[in-house]
Amino acid sequence: MTMPTTAPAFADVTASDSTLRRFLHGLPGVDAVGLEGRAASLGTRSIKTTAKAYAIDLAISMIDLTTLEGADTPGKVRALAAKAVNPDPTDRTTPTTAAVCVYPDMVTTAKEALKGSQVKVASVATAFPAGRAALPVKIADVRDAVAAGADEIDMVIDRGAFLAGDYMKVYEEILAVKEASGSARLKVIFETGELSTYDNIRRASWLGMIAGADFIKTSTGKVAVNATPANTLLMLQAVRDFKEQTGVQVGVKPAGGIRTSKDAIKFLVLVNETAGEDWLDSHWFRFGASSLLNDLLMQRQKLATGRYSGPDYVTVD
């Protein structure tokens, strides 16, 4: 396998295990109290009605509408795809979602169902969610998804290797997956709830970006602690700083546990106040969610009509 090369700015950093470790452990330590305080403060910002309407539509357009269950069926995926293309059948001005995210074996079904739309097909891979498989198996998983038509690949890092300090193994796996992804955009999932410390989240963010991630993603949604304002704020700071240093823009995707419009808007405020307006676009920011869309649709109709619809207004996922 021919490995892609590292950006010249980091060629020295990735020259050996020791240089990579030195760089990652040389990153500034995270002030946990300051980080959490900043995230909490931004979460109290009030949003006026016109701005709220804009934010709700923006949030809808940023959703990776997701189903990642062992009981997924072609019918469920087709229904999810239909909802992604036309979230509110009573209001055709409602934006489409950014993508539908499925397991690799459901990519063909999703691709056919989304034909003719702008909605992307994202697929988890690399032995999601645990990532416990040999590299050739992970690469085969990615290639299957890409061959089936996936526009985006969501990979999980080897958290065991990362926590053991084997950063080069994680780096080389991301490089290999990036190559196997071809033209598909690569989202690198850290599973922040398993990384234990904010310092580790900062290190993982930089490791993923150096290795060529198009997005860095908080979580699989399969563990107890998923996306939080604080860990997302930390990752937004990382992509901002990376762009300032390299000129390369990397997206951010919080996933898991974001269920309400109020939560989504808080995250959008984090994006605007930390990374800036350049990231307020579905090309650079996504929500990994399954139930968030329903609440956004109900809040959207409330703003338009002054009342909530009945329980049959949105589909039950």
Side-chain angles (χ1 to χ4, degrees):
M1 181 185 299
T2 302
M3 302 294 282
T5 57
T6 301
F10 295 102
D12 291 343
V13 167
T14 58
S16 68
D17 289 316
S18 60
T19 56
L20 183 56
R21 173 183 296 275
R22 191 177 307 121
F23 173 80
L24 294 176
H25 283 263
L27 293 169
V30 179
D31 173 3
V33 174
L35 179 74
E36 292 172 357
R38 173 69 172 164
S41 173
L42 290 173
T44 64
R45 296 282 179 89
S46 61
I47 305 294
K48 297 187 183 299
T49 302
T50 52
K52 185 176 181 181
Y54 167 77
I56 286 173
D57 277 7
L58 183 60
I60 291 171
S61 76
M62 291 173 164
I63 290 177
D64 283 0
L65 198 57
T66 302
T67 183
L68 297 170
E69 302 299 335
D72 286 344
T73 63
K76 182 178 180 182
V77 171
R78 282 191 288 267
L80 202 70
K83 185 172 182 178
V85 173
N86 188 17
D88 181 358
T90 70
D91 186 349
R92 298 289 176 155
T93 68
T94 308
T96 63
T97 70
V100 167
C101 186
V102 294
Y103 276 114
D105 65 318
M106 289 292 175
V107 169
T108 299
T109 299
K111 196 73 177 179
E112 291 173 351
L114 292 167
K115 188 175 181 180
S117 78
Q118 295 182 332
V119 180
K120 305 295 186 185
V121 176
S123 178
V124 296
T126 64
F128 179 95
R132 309 310 307 177
L135 182 57
V137 175
K138 294 180 180 181
I139 296 302
D141 201 22
V142 174
R143 287 178 173 161
D144 283 349
V146 172
D151 302 295
E152 301 170 357
I153 295 294
D154 290 35
M155 72 166 285
V156 288
I157 66 165
D158 184 335
R159 281 88 75 192
F162 183 91
L163 291 170
D166 194 351
Y167 303 129
M168 187 58 73
K169 180 180 180 182
V170 179
Y171 168 75
E172 289 177 345
E173 281 201 352
I174 298 171
L175 277 183
V177 172
K178 175 72 172 175
E179 185 197 32
S181 299
S183 61
R185 297 182 80 202
L186 178 63
K187 307 190 195 93
V188 177
I189 309 170
F190 303 138
E191 200 69 289
T192 51
E194 292 183 348
L195 295 188
S196 303
T197 70
Y198 289 130
D199 285 342
N200 275 341
I201 295 171
R202 175 169 281 170
R203 290 170 189 145
S205 297
W206 278 86
L207 183 59
M209 293 187 294
I210 290 169
D214 297 298
F215 266 81
I216 54 175
K217 178 178 171 182
T218 60
S219 333
T220 62
K222 301 294 186 181
V223 299
V225 178
N226 293 289
T228 67
N231 62 34
T232 303
L233 173 58
L234 181 56
M235 290 165 64
L236 287 164
Q237 291 172 343
V239 298
R240 175 200 64 198
D241 295 345
F242 188 78
K243 186 179 180 183
E244 287 177 356
Q245 184 169 331
T246 67
V248 176
Q249 188 162 345
V250 177
V252 176
K253 178 180 173 180
I258 304 170
R259 298 185 176 89
T260 68
S261 299
K262 186 176 181 180
D263 289 338
I265 290 171
K266 286 180 180 180
F267 278 85
L268 293 180
V269 171
L270 288 178
V271 175
N272 188 62
E273 296 298 320
T274 307
E277 291 185 11
D278 286 352
W279 273 265
L280 284 176
D281 184 280
S282 63
H283 196 72
W284 300 113
F285 192 79
R286 298 283 181 83
F287 292 105
S290 54
S291 60
L292 172 62
L293 180 56
N294 284 346
D295 192 69
L296 287 166
L297 292 174
M298 287 192 291
Q299 297 299 330
R300 189 177 193 274
Q301 193 191 54
K302 173 69 160 46
L303 286 177
T305 67
R307 63 183 185 280
Y308 291 109
S309 287
D312 295 330
Y313 172 63
V314 294
T315 58
V316 178
D317 297 325

